[in-house]
Every structure is written in C-alpha cells, then in structure tokens.
C-alpha cells in the first residue's frame, strides 16, 4: 500500500514558470511533510518542510501548500531557473514513529532555458 | 562537520558475495536509517535505529542486516548478494523522531552481477 502518492512523474517547464508538484497521503497520523531535492549522483537534500497546523510555508522561491482535509500538499517553485532541474521527492513522517519518512516516488523536473 | 558519510561510493559484487556498506555521522544524532533508491520507486526504508544497540526493520529488510554499536556508526550488511539488490543505498540521520530534519549521505551505488 503506497502511503504517499506523488504526481506528476515528470515535468517540463519554461524558465520563469511555476512548476507545481502534488502529493497525497493516506495515514492521518502523519504530522511532518518535507520536500527533498536530489541532483544526479547526489543524496537527497532537505528543501522545505511543513506541519499540518499551517496551510502554507515559503522559503525563498519554494512554497508548500497544505490541505489537511483533503490530505494533500504541494510544492510550488516561483520564478523557476534551469538550476532547479532535479528530482523532487515529497515525504511524510509522524513524531510518534521512529522509522523515519515515507517517500513519494519522485518527480523529475526539467526547467528549460 | 562532515555530516553523514558513506563508503564506498561504488561497488560491484558477484551473486552470493557478502559486503558491508559503511555509514557514519558526526552530528550526535540518535536516529539513523538506511534507504534504497530504485528508478521510479522513490526511497524505501530498509532498516532503522533509534540509538546505540536498538535497530528495527523497515519496509524492505530481507537480505540485509544492521547493527548499531555506537551513536556514530550504522553499517548495512548484505549477507548473500542478489541481482535484485542492485540499487543506490542512502544512509540518513536525524536528531528527532519521525524523520524530522533528516539528512542524507551521498550514497553507495551497488551493482550485483
């Protein structure tokens, strides 16, 4: 049973556009929702994270929107640049669990110049 | 402060061979995890640890063993390598439970022939 579903699998956006990546979760015990960015040959790097008591969080050009009732959250990248081309993973975790994060399958994002 | 380090970066094994993937962190984190990453599958949890002497199984533990004798080190052992274990392996650590502020190492690319 896939507990975190991520879409789309791949996405191509022109420079300056706003790519949006969506995730949906099933387990209502989840209370921590991070996004990771991964460049080829590197480990995933924590980008931004949100907790379910807020509906939006911004860090620089990256914004997470969170809809608790729909059990969905999304990543928006403002003024996207070719350097943002990477694979993005959403994930979910809960503070009562010691077993780390449950990840979505990833979105391969390409920002065209 | 090196963060999370992994060795080796690359490894080729023959079916049936055994080996140990090394992971170390210098952030004094209690929580450590091993994930495998396969194309289109995201990151899947193999084993995790909540402190020295305490380990548990994740989503895909078969064929792997772990131990945690110190806070810093969390090696992953492949007992008898199989082609299905060809993957990229990531070690991660976090100060808090539930995957909060989880940091990843650079990964080990393993090929089993």
């Amino acid at each position: 049973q896939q507990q975190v579903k991520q879409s789309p699998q791949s996405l191509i956006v022109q420079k300056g556009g706003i790519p949006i990546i969506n995730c949906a979760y099933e387990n209502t015990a989840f209370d921590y929702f991070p996004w990771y960015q991964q460049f080829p040959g590197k480990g995933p790097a924590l980008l931004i994270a949100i907790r379910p008591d807020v509906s939006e969080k911004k860090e620089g050009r990256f914004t997470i929107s969170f809809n608790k009732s729909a059990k969905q959250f999304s990543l928006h990248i403002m003024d996207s640049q070719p350097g943002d081309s990477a694979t993005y993973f959403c994930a979910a975790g809960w503070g009562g669990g010691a077993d780390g994060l449950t990840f979505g399958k990833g979105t391969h994002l390409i920002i065209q110049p | 402060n090196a963060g999370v380090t992994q060795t080796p970066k690359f490894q080729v094994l023959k079916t049936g061979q055994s080996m140990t993937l090394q992971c170390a962190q210098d952030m004094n984190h209690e929580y450590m995890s091993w994930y495998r990453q396969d194309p289109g599958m995201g990151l899947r949890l193999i084993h995790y640890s909540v402190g020295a002497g305490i380990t548990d199984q994740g989503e895909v533990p078969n064929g792997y063993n772990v131990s945690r004798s110190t806070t810093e080190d969390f090696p992953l052992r492949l007992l008898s390598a199989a082609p299905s274990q060809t993957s990229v392996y990531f070690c991660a650590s976090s100060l808090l439970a539930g995957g909060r502020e989880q940091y990843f190492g650079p990964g080990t690319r393993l090929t089993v022939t």
Side-chain angles (χ1 to χ4, degrees), chain A residues 37-53:
Chain A
Q37 180 187 56
Q38 185 181 30
F39 294 106
K42 304 294 185 182
L46 180 61
L47 192 60
I48 185 173
I50 197 168
R51 301 188 187 212
D53 53 344

mmCIF file of all heavy atoms in Angstrom, chain A residues 37-53:
data_model
loop_
_atom_site.group_PDB
_atom_site.id
_atom_site.type_symbol
_atom_site.label_atom_id
_atom_site.label_comp_id
_atom_site.label_asym_id
_atom_site.label_seq_id
_atom_site.Cartn_x
_atom_site.Cartn_y
_atom_site.Cartn_z
ATOM 1 N N GLN A 37 15.160 17.645 -2.492
ATOM 2 C CA GLN A 37 15.657 17.918 -3.839
ATOM 3 C C GLN A 37 16.886 17.031 -4.054
ATOM 4 O O GLN A 37 17.773 16.969 -3.190
ATOM 5 C CB GLN A 37 16.042 19.394 -3.951
ATOM 6 C CG GLN A 37 16.582 19.825 -5.288
ATOM 7 C CD GLN A 37 17.091 21.264 -5.220
ATOM 8 O OE1 GLN A 37 17.955 21.596 -4.395
ATOM 9 N NE2 GLN A 37 16.569 22.139 -6.082
ATOM 10 N N GLN A 38 16.937 16.373 -5.207
ATOM 11 C CA GLN A 38 18.072 15.492 -5.466
ATOM 12 C C GLN A 38 18.626 15.752 -6.857
ATOM 13 O O GLN A 38 17.905 15.650 -7.851
ATOM 14 C CB GLN A 38 17.671 14.022 -5.345
ATOM 15 C CG GLN A 38 18.842 13.062 -5.493
ATOM 16 C CD GLN A 38 18.433 11.609 -5.391
ATOM 17 O OE1 GLN A 38 17.320 11.223 -5.748
ATOM 18 N NE2 GLN A 38 19.338 10.764 -4.885
ATOM 19 N N PHE A 39 19.920 16.065 -6.922
ATOM 20 C CA PHE A 39 20.622 16.199 -8.187
ATOM 21 C C PHE A 39 21.290 14.867 -8.523
ATOM 22 O O PHE A 39 21.596 14.068 -7.626
ATOM 23 C CB PHE A 39 21.661 17.319 -8.090
ATOM 24 C CG PHE A 39 21.047 18.673 -7.911
ATOM 25 C CD1 PHE A 39 21.090 19.329 -6.694
ATOM 26 C CD2 PHE A 39 20.410 19.304 -8.979
ATOM 27 C CE1 PHE A 39 20.508 20.583 -6.528
ATOM 28 C CE2 PHE A 39 19.836 20.556 -8.826
ATOM 29 C CZ PHE A 39 19.871 21.189 -7.601
ATOM 30 N N PRO A 40 21.531 14.629 -9.812
ATOM 31 C CA PRO A 40 22.117 13.336 -10.221
ATOM 32 C C PRO A 40 23.408 13.039 -9.487
ATOM 33 O O PRO A 40 24.293 13.893 -9.360
ATOM 34 C CB PRO A 40 22.355 13.544 -11.718
ATOM 35 C CG PRO A 40 21.329 14.537 -12.138
ATOM 36 C CD PRO A 40 21.199 15.478 -10.976
ATOM 37 N N GLY A 41 23.514 11.824 -8.976
ATOM 38 C CA GLY A 41 24.728 11.396 -8.294
ATOM 39 C C GLY A 41 24.873 11.898 -6.872
ATOM 40 O O GLY A 41 25.918 11.671 -6.245
ATOM 41 N N LYS A 42 23.863 12.588 -6.357
ATOM 42 C CA LYS A 42 23.934 13.150 -5.007
ATOM 43 C C LYS A 42 22.841 12.548 -4.135
ATOM 44 O O LYS A 42 21.883 11.959 -4.602
ATOM 45 C CB LYS A 42 23.758 14.671 -5.051
ATOM 46 C CG LYS A 42 24.762 15.388 -5.950
ATOM 47 C CD LYS A 42 26.162 15.278 -5.408
ATOM 48 C CE LYS A 42 27.141 16.112 -6.238
ATOM 49 N NZ LYS A 42 28.535 15.965 -5.749
ATOM 50 N N GLY A 43 22.987 12.730 -2.824
ATOM 51 C CA GLY A 43 21.944 12.324 -1.919
ATOM 52 C C GLY A 43 20.832 13.365 -1.863
ATOM 53 O O GLY A 43 21.052 14.527 -2.205
ATOM 54 N N PRO A 44 19.631 12.957 -1.455
ATOM 55 C CA PRO A 44 18.537 13.933 -1.311
ATOM 56 C C PRO A 44 18.893 14.989 -0.268
ATOM 57 O O PRO A 44 19.502 14.669 0.763
ATOM 58 C CB PRO A 44 17.368 13.063 -0.826
ATOM 59 C CG PRO A 44 17.727 11.673 -1.212
ATOM 60 C CD PRO A 44 19.210 11.601 -1.131
ATOM 61 N N ALA A 45 18.500 16.216 -0.537
ATOM 62 C CA ALA A 45 18.757 17.332 0.375
ATOM 63 C C ALA A 45 17.426 17.932 0.808
ATOM 64 O O ALA A 45 16.560 18.201 -0.034
ATOM 65 C CB ALA A 45 19.626 18.381 -0.297
ATOM 66 N N LEU A 46 17.285 18.145 2.098
ATOM 67 C CA LEU A 46 16.052 18.731 2.630
ATOM 68 C C LEU A 46 15.870 20.144 2.104
ATOM 69 O O LEU A 46 16.765 20.994 2.238
ATOM 70 C CB LEU A 46 16.108 18.740 4.152
ATOM 71 C CG LEU A 46 14.913 19.318 4.890
ATOM 72 C CD1 LEU A 46 13.638 18.540 4.578
ATOM 73 C CD2 LEU A 46 15.166 19.326 6.395
ATOM 74 N N LEU A 47 14.704 20.396 1.514
ATOM 75 C CA LEU A 47 14.422 21.682 0.862
ATOM 76 C C LEU A 47 13.545 22.558 1.744
ATOM 77 O O LEU A 47 13.857 23.702 2.054
ATOM 78 C CB LEU A 47 13.731 21.410 -0.465
ATOM 79 C CG LEU A 47 13.567 22.514 -1.477
ATOM 80 C CD1 LEU A 47 14.914 23.058 -1.917
ATOM 81 C CD2 LEU A 47 12.800 21.981 -2.694
ATOM 82 N N ILE A 48 12.435 22.020 2.152
ATOM 83 C CA ILE A 48 11.449 22.753 2.938
ATOM 84 C C ILE A 48 10.508 21.732 3.559
ATOM 85 O O ILE A 48 10.317 20.640 3.003
ATOM 86 C CB ILE A 48 10.686 23.760 2.036
ATOM 87 C CG1 ILE A 48 9.722 24.635 2.834
ATOM 88 C CG2 ILE A 48 9.974 23.045 0.901
ATOM 89 C CD1 ILE A 48 9.081 25.751 1.999
ATOM 90 N N ALA A 49 9.928 22.080 4.715
ATOM 91 C CA ALA A 49 9.023 21.140 5.381
ATOM 92 C C ALA A 49 7.886 21.920 6.021
ATOM 93 O O ALA A 49 8.034 23.110 6.339
ATOM 94 C CB ALA A 49 9.757 20.321 6.427
ATOM 95 N N ILE A 50 6.755 21.245 6.212
ATOM 96 C CA ILE A 50 5.593 21.882 6.805
ATOM 97 C C ILE A 50 4.933 20.939 7.794
ATOM 98 O O ILE A 50 5.070 19.713 7.684
ATOM 99 C CB ILE A 50 4.585 22.313 5.709
ATOM 100 C CG1 ILE A 50 3.581 23.336 6.239
ATOM 101 C CG2 ILE A 50 3.861 21.092 5.130
ATOM 102 C CD1 ILE A 50 2.767 24.000 5.132
ATOM 103 N N ARG A 51 4.243 21.516 8.792
ATOM 104 C CA ARG A 51 3.438 20.733 9.720
ATOM 105 C C ARG A 51 1.972 21.034 9.465
ATOM 106 O O ARG A 51 1.643 22.092 8.928
ATOM 107 C CB ARG A 51 3.844 21.074 11.154
ATOM 108 C CG ARG A 51 5.297 20.789 11.382
ATOM 109 C CD ARG A 51 5.727 20.908 12.799
ATOM 110 N NE ARG A 51 7.182 20.779 12.866
ATOM 111 C CZ ARG A 51 7.834 20.260 13.878
ATOM 112 N NH1 ARG A 51 7.178 19.837 14.930
ATOM 113 N NH2 ARG A 51 9.145 20.171 13.858
ATOM 114 N N PRO A 52 1.064 20.149 9.834
ATOM 115 C CA PRO A 52 -0.344 20.283 9.436
ATOM 116 C C PRO A 52 -1.108 21.411 10.113
ATOM 117 O O PRO A 52 -2.277 21.626 9.785
ATOM 118 C CB PRO A 52 -0.933 18.915 9.810
ATOM 119 C CG PRO A 52 -0.023 18.352 10.818
ATOM 120 C CD PRO A 52 1.332 18.891 10.520
ATOM 121 N N ASP A 53 -0.471 22.156 11.016
ATOM 122 C CA ASP A 53 -1.188 23.258 11.657
ATOM 123 C C ASP A 53 -1.077 24.562 10.871
ATOM 124 O O ASP A 53 -1.631 25.582 11.277
ATOM 125 C CB ASP A 53 -0.698 23.459 13.094
ATOM 126 C CG ASP A 53 0.801 23.622 13.190
ATOM 127 O OD1 ASP A 53 1.501 23.290 12.218
ATOM 128 O OD2 ASP A 53 1.277 24.074 14.254
#
